[in-house]
Amino acid sequence: MRTRILFTLLAIFLFVSAAHAQDAMSYKPAAAAQTGPMPILPACATAAVTDGDPAKPGSIIMLKIKAGCVIPQHWHTANERLVIISGSAHAAMKGMPATELSAGDFLFLPGKGIHLFHAVTDVVLYDISDAPFDIHYVDFNGKEITPAEAFKK
């Protein structure tokens, strides 16, 4: 009986401690974000991890994409949620008309859905992923190609 009480108290303590740790606020000013190149993105797009680890589920990446930059046709394993902070762009998913995006807009892209992104002006956005971040470029027939091949077009 005593062991059961001690175990219950320990479990409550661990639960409360874990819940309290999750309640901590985290602040990262956008202006201080140091974006850099990612070999899987065109040179006209830079990125910085805002929260989490892109190799694990549940990360947020800030992207800065220069005017005129195109991220060619590609897909991700994860569902992707984009929040446009500034600028304007077009996004298109295969088989659907292009969508115009501007500051404050939200876009959901389902996992494995082939899409592309074109920055009309300089764009800053947050990319929220619910699985490890990956990117698979494809040609117009849907065949996977390397980033180098995708960027040549």
Side-chain angles (χ1 to χ4, degrees), residues 22-151:
Q22 293 173 356
D23 290 340
M25 186 170 85
S26 175
Y27 173 69
K28 293 184 180 177
Q34 297 294 316
T35 61
M38 289 180 71
I40 59 172
L41 293 174
C44 51
T46 58
V49 176
T50 300
D51 187 52
D53 177 352
K56 297 178 182 174
S59 68
I60 301 173
I61 299 170
M62 174 192 274
L63 293 165
K64 291 184 178 181
I65 305 169
K66 295 184 185 286
C69 183
V70 174
I71 301 177
Q73 284 197 138
H74 64 280
W75 59 270
H76 308 274
T77 302
N79 292 315
E80 186 176 34
R81 292 161 178 85
L82 304 180
V83 179
I84 309 299
I85 304 304
S86 63
S88 62
H90 293 118
M93 180 162 269
K94 190 171 185 175
M96 298 178 70
T99 300
E100 292 185 33
L101 303 167
S102 58
D105 288 348
F106 170 84
L107 180 66
F108 173 81
L109 298 160
K112 299 190 179 176
I114 296 173
H115 58 278
L116 62 81
F117 186 91
H118 172 236
V120 176
T121 66
D122 287 353
V123 174
V124 176
L125 64 85
Y126 287 110
D127 184 327
I128 304 161
S129 180
D130 61 8
F133 183 84
D134 61 7
I135 188 165
H136 302 266
Y137 292 99
V138 295
D139 64 16
F140 286 102
N141 296 317
K143 179 183 171 225
E144 195 160 342
I145 57 176
T146 67
E149 291 172 302
F151 303 156

